[in-house]
Amino acid sequence: MLWINLVDKTGSGLWFSVTALYFVVVGGLSTGATGLLLGIGGAFGLAGPPLAGRLADRVPLTRVLLAVQILRGASSLLLLFWHGFWPLLPLVALGSFGERSASVLTKLFAARVAGGDRARYQAIQRTVVNLGYTIGGLAASAALAVGSTAVYRGLLLGDGLSFVAVALLVARCAEPPSATRTVAVHPVAGKEAGTGKGAGTAAAASTPAPAQTPVTAPAPAPANPWRDPGYLGYAALDSVMFLYGAALSVGLPLWIVTRTTAPHGLAAAVFVVNTVIVVFCQVRLSRYGRSPRIAAGALRHVAVWFAVCGATAALAVVHAPWAATLSVIGCAVAVTVVEMIQSAVSWELSVSLAPADAQGAYVGVHGLAQSAERCVGPLLMTSAVLAGGPLGWLVFGAVLAAAALLQRRLVLRRLDRLGAAASPTPLSVAPITVSEQ
């Protein structure tokens, strides 16, 4: 799965940095229409996590992931042949749906394979993901130096082919084990009774009458995350905390260019700072996700770093360029620390707070948190945070810090109520029986 993530994110790195430019230069759209296209397409992605998670509880996860990767590859490659808003919209929507579905399915696959060591596995996976984005982003930057239509098409083609390669890799993956998956073997008649003349008759004579099968009560229906207010509240607060992504990708670059005296080149450098820190520190900080209670305790650290993020961004309006530069870099570091700790915490809690018989459905609902941030985050950053100036950043940091502290209280209360142990809850899917003939 690590190789799958590396190939996937390398292809995505080729595309993410030129998405808007492609639709303007090649697709023939205005900047306003491009924003509307990406916004509506992103909204369709909201349906991906809950549907994919529920399917993963009912059918083999690898089959669902394979279908999703094929969908992503097809939608990307078809973009090469279509122009205009309405022809492009369904393809962008399908691509967004596939991307968010794949994110949840990959998370479930990794958690089932890693078991109790899933926090460390997640950290390694995030390191690989950032490495893939870096490789793809650097390749895209070099290609954009040419800036021709053929280059844009080539980057999109590379993204589409990466999904084809990922689908081939997924097809070779074995289904991850499940603690509740059982195998019932049905022997072929006559094979156990011996061989030779009269063996069948002897077997028939010696075989006892089958015992009467006891009548058992039907298994209870799996838990429904949409009727679990505690988990929904946890996921809603996570959607607020995930706004750090919009701060890094939208808010901080625009803040640098429009309101500070820092060099404009820092708008691109913040991504380098983010990637380098994640590659070198994510595995070490995975300790914050070793158990549900450790993860809940780490939310206090997250709250502090959120406050630091808002304060350093607000200070960047100072007139001295060197001071503005240091403030911007400090904000980028704070956001990155938040990302590393909160990702480990979110990974652990989204799995361990879910019932064992419906973890796919629950994790799918949790996947809506990040999907919602992608839809709302950019608009919120431009219309509220940046418009509010330094005060907007201070309020932003304070609100996210409050969300982290509130989530900590909610999680600890849920753990106490459920009597959760300090060790992680084993991941499983709804019990199924596989018949082998």
Side-chain angles (χ1 to χ4, degrees):
M1 188 54 65
L2 294 178
W3 279 108
I4 288 174
N5 272 300
L6 180 62
V7 175
D8 186 339
K9 302 312 178 186
T10 299
S12 297
L14 292 173
W15 174 241
F16 283 166
S17 58
V18 302
T19 302
L21 293 174
Y22 178 91
F23 291 126
V24 172
V25 176
V26 181
L29 303 181
S30 66
T31 55
T34 297
L36 185 61
L37 175 72
L38 295 177
I40 297 176
F44 277 92
L46 292 172
L51 289 178
R54 187 166 291 275
L55 275 175
D57 278 341
R58 287 161 170 74
V59 298
L61 188 152
T62 50
R63 294 183 186 176
V64 184
L65 184 56
L66 176 61
V68 166
Q69 297 296 357
I70 292 174
L71 174 67
R72 296 177 74 192
S75 62
S76 294
L77 294 175
L78 287 174
L79 285 174
L80 293 166
F81 305 103
W82 295 92
H83 301 81
F85 183 88
W86 293 110
L88 290 173
L89 180 58
L91 297 178
V92 173
L94 287 176
S96 177
F97 177 89
E99 179 199 349
R100 302 313 308 157
S101 298
S103 177
V104 167
L105 294 171
T106 303
K107 178 179 180 179
L108 284 171
F109 187 101
R112 291 178 182 178
V113 169
D117 199 30
R118 59 176 175 260
R120 181 174 176 82
Y121 187 97
Q122 182 263 358
I124 296 173
Q125 179 171 274
R126 282 189 58 82
T127 301
V128 171
V129 164
N130 277 272
L131 183 60
Y133 277 131
T134 302
I135 295 172
L138 290 174
S141 298
L144 284 177
V146 179
S148 66
T149 300
V151 167
Y152 287 111
R153 292 184 180 276
L155 292 173
L156 177 56
L157 178 62
D159 182 41
L161 291 179
S162 73
F163 297 137
V164 175
V166 167
L168 294 175
L169 292 173
V170 170
R172 300 181 60 185
C173 289
E175 182 69 15
S178 168
T180 58
R181 192 170 186 263
T182 60
V183 177
V185 179
H186 301 283
V188 178
K191 285 191 176 181
E192 295 79 17
T195 58
K197 187 176 180 179
T201 305
S206 62
T207 301
Q212 186 176 5
T213 303
V215 178
T216 59
N224 187 342
W226 298 107
R227 298 179 180 177
D228 188 337
Y231 194 89
L232 290 176
Y234 156 75
L237 289 170
D238 240 16
S239 67
V240 175
M241 293 159 62
F242 274 130
L243 288 171
Y244 71 78
L248 181 67
S249 62
V250 177
L252 194 54
L254 290 176
W255 185 249
I256 292 169
V257 174
T258 62
R259 296 293 299 272
T260 78
T261 57
H264 289 187
L266 276 180
V270 293
F271 294 102
V272 178
V273 171
N274 173 266
T275 301
V276 170
I277 294 176
V278 169
V279 168
F280 283 101
C281 300
Q282 180 70 77
V283 175
R284 182 176 301 177
L285 293 181
S286 67
R287 67 181 185 272
Y288 289 111
R290 286 180 300 184
S291 75
R293 292 194 180 274
I294 291 175
L299 288 169
R300 288 178 297 184
H301 300 286
V302 173
V304 171
W305 283 103
F306 272 136
V308 171
C309 167
T312 50
L315 287 174
V317 295
V318 296
H319 293 295
W322 65 269
T325 299
L326 289 178
S327 296
V328 167
I329 294 176
C331 181
V333 171
V335 172
T336 304
V337 174
V338 164
E339 176 187 348
M340 292 186 293
I341 298 178
Q342 204 264 342
S343 64
V345 170
S346 180
W347 172 285
E348 173 61 27
L349 293 180
S350 65
V351 174
S352 60
L353 295 181
D357 65 344
Q359 283 180 332
Y362 271 68
V363 172
V365 168
H366 177 264
L368 287 172
Q370 200 160 15
S371 298
E373 179 274 326
R374 292 195 175 193
C375 292
V376 178
L379 179 62
L380 182 65
M381 292 303 303
T382 55
S383 63
V385 177
L386 297 183
L391 180 60
W393 279 104
L394 291 174
V395 172
F396 174 77
V399 169
L400 268 61
L405 294 176
L406 181 59
Q407 189 184 71
R408 176 178 176 272
R409 291 186 58 186
L410 186 152
V411 168
L412 289 175
R413 189 181 306 148
R414 185 179 178 93
L415 292 175
D416 290 339
R417 186 172 65 252
L418 297 177
S423 59
T425 303
L427 186 67
S428 62
V429 294
I432 60 172
T433 300
V434 180
S435 177
E436 296 184 355
Q437 297 291 345

